[in-house]
Amino acid sequence: MPHGDGAIGGQSKPSIRLGVLGLLEARHDDTPISLGPVQQRVVLGVLALHADRPMSREQLIDAVWGETAPAYALNLLQKHISGLRRVLEPVRLARSKSQLLAWTDAGYRLSLPDEALDLEIFDRRLGRAQVARTAGDLPGAARALHEALGLWRGPVLDGLSSPLLDAERDRLAERRVSAIEERIDLDMAVGHDGDLVSELHQLVARHPLRERLRALQMRALYRAGRQAEALAAYREAQQFLLDELGVEPAAELQTLHQRMLRGDPELGLPVAETVHLATPEPAPTVPRPAQLPHGMAEFTGRVAELQRLTDLVDHEAAVVIAAIVGTAGVGKTALAVHWAHQVSDRFPDGQLYVNLRGFDPHRNPVEPSNALRGLLEAFAVPAQQIPTGLEDQAALFRSLLAGRRVLVVLDNARDSEQVQPLLPGSPGCLVVVTSRNRLSGLVAGGAVSVSVDLLTAAEAEDFLARRLGAPRVAAEPGAVNDIVRVCTRLPLALAIVAARAAVYPQHSLTALAAELREDGGGLDAFVGESVTSDARAVLSWSYQRLSPPAARLFRLLGLFPGGDLAVPAAASLAGVPRGEARRVLAELSGAHLLEEPSPGRYSFHELLRAYAAEQALAIESPADRHAALGRILDHYLHTAHRAERVLYRYRPAIALDPPDPAAVVLDPVDAGQALCWFLAEQAVLLAAIEHALPAGFPAHASRLAWAVTPFLNYQGKWHDWATSLTTALAAGEQLGDLAGQALTHRLLNLAHLQLELLDQADVHAGRALELFEKLGDVAGQARLHVDYSWVLDRQGDYGAALERSQVARDLFRAAGDRAGEAAALNRVGWFHSRLGRHEQALRYCHESLDMHRALDDHPSQADVWDALGYAHFHSGNYAEAMACYEQALGLWRELGDRYEVATTLLSLAEAQQAVGDTAASHTLFKQSIGIFDEIGHPQAEQLRRRLNLDV
C-alpha cells in the first residue's frame, strides 16, 4: 500500500486510500480502517479490483461465492455493502447517498479518488515505464518500474479467497513477475547491476520454468566475471527443462549460451552500450494516431456547447469525459468531430476515433473487446501481444495512455457499459462520447453531460445560408421560415432540403417550401422514441425526386448492412454496369442521400439507411430483394476468391458455383492490387459474412469466410478470422454440410492457435477429427493430426507432437496421398529437431524433400528447406543453415508469398547474427520489417521494438 506516496501532478492526497497489493488495507488519511468480517472484506476486494466500473448483483454474487452461493446470498451481499458504507464513510449522513459505494442502473460501483488505489498507481507506473523505454529513456523506465514494484507488500489480497480473487491473484502475480524481469533487464541496461546475481538466484528458484529469468541470471553472472557459473546455469536450465518438460531451452536461451561460449565482448557491456554499438539508428518514434473523420466546413451554431467542451481541455486533475447526448440526426457527431479538430493540437500524442454503432438498425454494436483491439492497434501494439480478455485489454490500454495527452472520440455509444472499458485511466486524456442514450452511468461517475438540442430558428436559418448563400436565403424569408418549421430545426432534415435546393438554384425557395408542405407530416420521430415512423416528410421529399435508377439503388442499398461500398459492389447490387452505377451514385451523393467519405466509396447515415430499407421492403418484391443480395454477395465472394488465388495461388482452391451474370467480379492483375482490394474491403467482407447467414445465404457465408482466411491470417487479424469462421460453422450446420463443418473446425483450430487459446484450439481440432472420421476422409484425418501437432508444439509437448506427425504420415500413406505423406515426414523431422535430435531430423527432412521434388511441389519444398535450416542452425552448422534458408527464400519469392519471404528473412538474420555478422543481420531484419509493413502485419512493430530500429 502506498503510504506517504505523493500524488502525481501536484494533486492533493486523497482522503481515502485502499491497498490490495498485499493484505487488504484501507485508511482515512493516515488512520487505518477496520473493514469487518472476512466475507465483507472479500466483497470490498472484488469491488476494488473493479474500481470505477459497475458490477451487477449477479456478477458480485458469482465473484464472491461462485457455485457455492447460498440461497440467501443477495441478503448477505446487501448486508456487506451496508457494512462497507458505514466503515468507509462514517461521517456520511444516514439519508445521503454514498459517494464511494453507490448503486447505479448498472450495479454497485466503487468510486475511488484519483491515486487512492495502489493497483491503479502500479498500472500507471508500468505505463510510464513503457513510454520511457519506447522513447529511449532507460534510466527513467527503470525508476518507474522500481517505484511500481515497491508498492507490493505480498500476494494480492493476501488471506482472502473467492473464485474471482483467486483468479485475479494469479493473473496479477504473473504481471508482477513480468515487471520484475523487465526491471532487472533495465537495471543491467543502465549498468546498475548491484546484487542482481543473488536476487536472480532466488527468483529462479521460485520460478524455475521462466526462461527469461534464467537468461537474466546467466547475463548477470557473465557480467560479474563469473563466466563458468553462467555456463553452468545454462546446463542447469537445460537439464531442468528436459527433466520436467522433455524440451530443450528456447532459441533465445540457446543463442545466449552460444554467445558466451564464443566470448562475445558485447555481453559484458551495459545493454544501452550494446545497442549503440550494434544498431546506431535512433529509437523508434511512438505512433501518434490521427483518426478523426473529416470535419464540416459549413458547421453552424452550437457556440455554448463548443465553449463548454473547450473549458474541459485544461482540466488536469483526472481523465475528463464529455457525454454529448441528444436525439437522432441532431448533429452530435458533427459537433464532436468539429470540436475535436479545433483542439487536436492540444493532444499531441494522438486522436482516436471509434464508431461504436450503438443504434445501427442493421449491424450489431461494436463489442468493447473489438473496439479495444482497434485502439491498441492504432498505437502499433502487435496483434499477438493484445490479451484475449476484456479486462486485460482495458488494463493494457490504460497503461499505454499513461503519461500521454490523447483525445478519444467514442461515437454512437449504446450505453455506459459499452464505453466503460474504453476509458483511459490517466490525467491528460480527454474522452468525448456521443449517444442517443443519456449515459447516466457515465454522468454519475463524473462525466460532463453536454446535451444537444434542435437548432434555434436563427441557427437553422444560418445553416441554410451557409449552404445556399446568404443572398438567396435573405431574399425569401417567409419560405425559409416555412422550411425551418417543417424540418423542425433538425440538422439532418435541413441538410437534405438544402442539398435539394442547391441542385436546383433556379427554383425559388417558396416553391420548394410549398412542395415540402404538401407532403405533410412532420419530424416528430426525430425527437421522440422512434427514429423513422414520422420522418418521411423530408426524407420522402428528397427521395421522390430521384431518377428511377437512383431511387432503386437507394432502396437496395438499404438492404446491405456493410459499411462503405465501392462502385463495383453497388453495380452488383443493382445489377447494372459500373458506368451506370457510378452516375447513379453521384446523383445520390449530390442529393446528400449518400456520403462519399473517400473517393469512390459511399456510405449512409443510419437514419437514411433505415428509411431506404423501409422503402425496399415496401416496393421491391421478396424475389428481387433476394436476387440483389445474392448479386452483391457474389461480387464479394468471387472477387475475394480471385484475389486469394493471386496472392496464395499454391493453396487449394475453393469450389464455387458460378456468379450471377449481373454481378461484377473483379480480376486483380497482381499481388499488389489483390492486397489493396482486401485491405480496402476487409470491414465490408466481415459484415457480408455476418449478414449472409440470417439473410438466407449460408453457402456464401461459409465460402466467403474460407476465401478471406489466408488474408486475415497473414494480416494478424486473428480475432476477426475466428469470428468469421464461427459464422461459417453455423452456416455449415444449417446446410448440413459435414465436410464444410470439418474444414471450418480445422481452420478454427488454427485461428485459436494463433490467438494462443490452446484449449479452444484443441476442442476444434478434436471436433474436426471426429467429423473427418465420420466422413471416412482419411487424408482429412491426417491433416488434423498435423494441425494437432501445431497445438502441441505451442504447448511445448514435442514428444506428443512427434507422435501425431507419425500418425499423420501413416494415414497419408494409407490414403495414397504422396504429397501429404511428404509433408508429414517434414513435420516428423521438425519435431525431432525440437527434441534436440538434429541428425534424425535431417534424415526425415531430406526424405521429405526427395518426395516433394518427385512431385514437383515447390511450396512444400520451401517448408522443408526451412525445417532443414532450423535443424542445422540448432546443431551449430550456421553456414548450412543459411544455405537452406536461402533455398526456401528463393522458392517463396518465386511463389510470391510475401509473408513467408519476411519470416524466412528473419531466420537468415538470426543465422547471420549467430556467426557474428551484425551488419548483414541488421540488413536482413530491416528487409523483413519492410515487407511486414507492406502487407500490414503487426509483427513489423514487434520487430522494431525488439531491435530498437527506426526503419
Side-chain angles (χ1 to χ4, degrees):
M1 184 170 179
H3 303 299
D5 184 32
I8 294 174
Q11 301 167 41
S12 60
K13 296 179 182 178
S15 60
I16 191 166
R17 291 180 179 275
L18 198 60
V20 297
L21 302 180
L23 292 169
L24 178 63
E25 292 185 2
R27 293 174 178 270
H28 275 302
D29 295 321
D30 291 325
T31 304
I33 300 171
S34 176
L35 294 172
V38 170
Q39 205 165 69
Q40 184 166 298
R41 282 181 276 145
V42 169
V43 172
L44 179 58
V46 168
L47 288 166
L49 294 181
H50 285 76
D52 297 316
R53 288 173 288 163
M55 292 189 75
S56 68
R57 295 185 180 98
E58 293 76 15
Q59 288 174 314
L60 270 168
I61 289 171
D62 187 57
V64 173
W65 288 281
E67 295 180 357
T68 64
Y72 49 89
L74 180 57
N75 292 335
L76 279 175
L77 177 65
Q78 291 171 335
K79 173 187 173 184
H80 293 321
I81 293 290
S82 297
L84 289 171
R85 284 172 172 161
R86 283 194 299 272
V87 298
L88 293 175
E89 299 174 281
V91 298
R92 180 173 59 90
L93 297 176
R95 302 176 72 178
S96 70
K97 185 177 179 180
S98 171
Q99 299 299 307
L100 280 175
L101 184 48
W103 171 257
T104 72
D105 291 342
Y108 289 107
R109 177 189 179 113
L110 179 65
S111 300
L112 293 171
D114 193 38
E115 292 284 289
L117 180 66
D118 56 358
L119 178 57
E120 175 199 3
I121 300 171
F122 176 71
D123 283 338
R124 288 188 182 185
R125 290 180 181 169
L126 287 188
R128 193 190 306 166
Q130 181 181 0
V131 171
R133 181 154 198 172
T134 302
D137 180 10
L138 301 187
R143 284 194 301 274
L145 281 172
H146 275 280
E147 292 171 1
L149 290 164
L151 299 170
W152 286 74
R153 298 167 287 109
V156 170
L157 296 167
D158 197 9
L160 301 180
S161 179
S162 82
L164 182 135
L165 296 188
D166 295 343
E168 286 294 285
R169 181 177 297 113
D170 291 342
R171 183 182 69 83
L172 290 168
E174 171 67 23
R175 288 188 65 202
R176 182 191 185 190
V177 176
S178 296
I180 290 171
E181 290 173 336
E182 184 74 4
R183 191 222 85 213
I184 293 172
D185 191 42
L186 284 165
D187 281 344
M188 282 197 272
V190 296
H192 295 164
D193 292 31
D195 192 23
L196 292 181
V197 170
S198 175
E199 180 183 6
L200 283 162
H201 281 329
Q202 296 175 33
L203 288 168
V204 167
R206 288 198 296 268
H207 308 281
L209 291 174
R210 295 187 75 95
E211 291 190 54
R212 188 181 184 193
L213 280 176
R214 290 189 178 272
L216 290 167
Q217 179 189 36
M218 290 168 61
R219 282 172 50 198
L221 286 165
Y222 191 90
R223 288 157 59 93
R226 298 157 68 174
Q227 290 91 334
E229 292 178 66
L231 295 171
Y234 174 79
R235 290 192 295 274
E236 179 188 333
Q238 183 183 42
Q239 191 60 51
F240 183 86
L241 292 170
L242 283 170
D243 291 345
E244 294 295 319
L245 304 175
V247 301
E248 288 282 345
E252 180 183 357
L253 207 58
Q254 293 186 39
T255 300
L256 179 61
H257 180 232
Q258 291 294 325
R259 292 176 69 192
M260 288 181 176
L261 287 174
R262 295 196 308 270
D264 187 339
E266 291 184 0
L267 288 176
L269 296 172
V271 173
E273 295 179 36
T274 304
V275 170
H276 176 72
L277 289 171
T279 56
E281 287 81 358
T285 57
V286 177
R288 295 176 181 173
Q291 297 183 334
L292 297 176
H294 63 79
M296 294 178 59
E298 300 167 340
F299 185 85
T300 304
R302 310 299 191 195
V303 175
E305 292 88 346
L306 288 169
Q307 186 58 53
R308 188 169 190 191
L309 290 167
T310 302
D311 289 343
L312 300 175
V313 174
D314 295 322
H315 185 71
E316 299 285 353
V319 175
V320 179
I321 304 168
I324 300 178
V325 298
T327 192
V330 80
K332 302 180 295 295
T333 298
L335 171 63
V337 172
H338 178 76
W339 176 79
H341 278 290
Q342 285 188 332
V343 299
S344 61
D345 62 326
R346 309 280 292 276
F347 297 91
D349 296 317
Q351 305 93 44
L352 300 168
Y353 174 86
V354 184
N355 182 357
L356 295 173
R357 298 201 310 258
F359 296 89
D360 191 319
H362 296 286
R363 298 178 65 188
N364 292 328
V366 175
E367 290 298 324
S369 181
N370 290 334
L372 276 168
R373 278 196 292 273
L375 293 169
L376 291 168
E377 287 173 354
F379 283 102
V381 177
Q384 59 269 40
Q385 292 185 9
I386 297 176
T388 55
L390 176 62
E391 291 183 11
D392 289 341
Q393 291 173 347
L396 177 58
F397 181 60
R398 292 193 297 272
S399 297
L400 192 63
L401 266 59
R404 298 184 181 182
R405 286 191 61 81
V406 176
L407 175 64
V408 183
V409 179
L410 304 174
D411 201 10
N412 297 318
R414 175 188 57 205
D415 49 34
S416 300
E417 286 67 41
Q418 187 187 23
V419 171
Q420 288 286 356
L422 312 181
L423 300 178
S426 305
C429 293
L430 195 151
V431 182
V432 179
V433 187
T434 76
S435 181
R436 297 181 198 173
N437 189 301
R438 293 186 181 277
L439 301 176
S440 55
L442 285 185
V443 175
V448 176
S449 180
V450 179
S451 181
V452 181
D453 205 344
L454 300 170
L455 295 172
T456 66
E459 288 173 334
E461 182 177 336
D462 186 42
F463 185 104
L464 293 172
R466 286 175 177 266
R467 285 158 176 76
L468 302 177
R472 187 177 179 190
V473 169
E476 299 181 79
V480 169
N481 288 336
D482 286 346
I483 291 171
V484 168
R485 179 179 53 77
V486 174
C487 290
T488 66
R489 309 193 310 279
L490 185 74
L492 176 64
L494 288 165
I496 294 171
V497 174
R500 173 69 179 173
V503 171
Y504 296 100
Q506 71 276 19
H507 293 180
S508 70
L509 295 182
T510 300
L512 294 175
E515 288 184 51
L516 188 56
R517 284 196 305 272
E518 288 170 6
D519 285 325
L523 290 174
D524 295 341
F526 285 103
V527 293
E529 292 299 319
S530 171
V531 296
T532 56
S533 60
D534 292 315
R536 299 175 185 86
V538 171
L539 297 179
S540 66
W541 182 75
S542 188
Y543 162 71
Q544 289 169 5
R545 283 152 183 81
L546 294 170
S547 66
R552 177 172 175 268
L553 179 57
F554 176 77
R555 294 192 298 271
L556 295 178
L557 286 169
L559 299 175
F560 188 72
D564 53 354
L565 298 183
V567 173
S572 300
L573 187 68
V576 299
R578 275 184 275 185
E580 182 178 339
R582 190 175 288 108
R583 289 190 295 274
V584 171
L585 288 166
E587 180 181 344
L588 291 171
S589 178
H592 278 220
L593 293 175
L594 282 183
E595 298 175 359
E596 191 175 5
S598 60
R601 301 194 70 88
Y602 298 85
S603 63
F604 265 128
H605 186 285
E606 61 190 67
L607 296 177
L608 288 165
R609 186 188 296 279
Y611 179 74
E614 180 183 277
Q615 296 304 307
L617 290 172
I619 296 171
E620 304 290 332
S621 69
D624 286 344
R625 297 197 301 269
H626 188 81
L629 283 173
R631 287 192 299 269
I632 194 169
L633 289 171
D634 272 351
H635 160 74
Y636 286 119
L637 174 57
H638 285 269
T639 303
H641 181 249
R642 294 184 186 185
E644 186 260 352
R645 301 313 303 148
V646 170
L647 285 168
Y648 318 107
R649 61 183 181 273
Y650 55 85
R651 295 181 177 276
I654 303 168
L656 299 178
D657 294 328
D660 187 297
V664 178
V665 180
L666 303 178
D667 251 326
V669 297
D670 56 29
Q673 193 176 92
L675 182 60
C676 285
W677 185 83
F678 269 125
L679 290 169
E681 300 290 353
Q682 57 182 319
V684 187
L685 289 167
L686 294 170
I689 293 167
E690 180 183 345
H691 183 65
L693 184 59
F697 294 90
H700 285 78
S702 58
R703 283 153 181 78
L704 188 50
W706 299 338
V708 301
T709 275
F711 167 76
L712 293 175
N713 184 19
Y714 283 167
Q715 289 289 307
K717 302 289 185 182
W718 300 310
H719 289 277
D720 290 335
W721 185 22
T723 300
S724 68
L725 288 171
T726 302
T727 302
L729 185 60
E733 291 169 350
Q734 188 179 110
L735 291 166
D737 178 8
L738 293 185
Q741 292 175 50
L743 172 60
T744 306
H745 275 297
R746 179 176 172 239
L747 295 174
L748 276 165
N749 158 56
L750 298 174
H752 286 108
L753 187 63
Q754 293 282 40
L755 291 166
E756 300 290 345
L757 300 175
L758 302 185
D759 290 342
Q760 294 182 43
D762 189 65
V763 168
H764 286 293
R767 181 59 182 142
L769 186 57
E770 291 173 10
L771 288 169
F772 281 125
E773 289 172 347
K774 184 175 182 178
L775 291 163
D777 185 346
V778 177
Q781 296 170 47
R783 291 187 189 93
L784 248 298
H785 284 291
V786 171
D787 292 344
Y788 247 130
S789 75
W790 284 110
V791 178
L792 295 164
D793 192 356
R794 292 288 181 91
Q795 292 174 330
D797 193 348
Y798 304 135
L802 175 60
E803 291 174 8
R804 289 281 183 176
S805 302
Q806 291 166 332
V807 170
R809 176 199 57 193
D810 296 341
L811 287 170
F812 277 127
R813 187 175 293 161
D817 187 333
R818 294 281 288 166
E821 182 185 349
L825 273 171
N826 186 43
R827 296 296 296 162
V828 170
W830 172 265
F831 286 113
H832 274 296
S833 265
R834 297 289 266 176
L835 290 165
R837 307 166 189 164
H838 303 304
E839 289 302 320
Q840 292 167 275
L842 293 170
R843 186 172 69 252
Y844 281 109
C845 290
H846 277 296
E847 185 181 349
S848 171
L849 185 61
D850 290 340
M851 292 179 69
H852 284 308
R853 281 172 169 162
L855 295 166
D856 198 28
D857 186 345
H858 285 208
S860 297
Q861 287 181 50
D863 282 329
V864 180
W865 282 116
D866 180 75
L868 285 166
Y870 182 89
H872 281 300
F873 181 87
H874 289 278
S875 300
N877 300 325
Y878 300 127
E880 288 289 341
M882 285 188 278
C884 293
Y885 288 139
E886 289 285 1
Q887 290 281 355
L889 186 62
L891 287 169
W892 288 127
R893 282 176 170 156
E894 180 185 326
L895 292 161
D897 193 321
R898 302 288 285 158
Y899 173 83
E900 295 292 355
V901 168
T903 56
T904 308
L905 285 168
L906 285 182
S907 299
L908 265 174
E910 288 169 355
Q912 291 283 9
Q913 194 173 54
V915 298
D917 193 342
T918 305
S921 173
H922 185 75
T923 300
L924 290 166
F925 274 126
K926 291 175 71 174
Q927 289 175 6
S928 177
I929 291 171
I931 294 173
F932 281 129
D933 276 331
E934 287 174 20
I935 65 176
H937 198 281
Q939 195 166 347
E941 188 59 33
Q942 182 185 15
L943 285 169
R944 282 196 184 89
R945 292 179 181 176
R946 170 184 163 190
L947 301 167
N948 198 26
L949 295 176
D950 184 16
V951 299

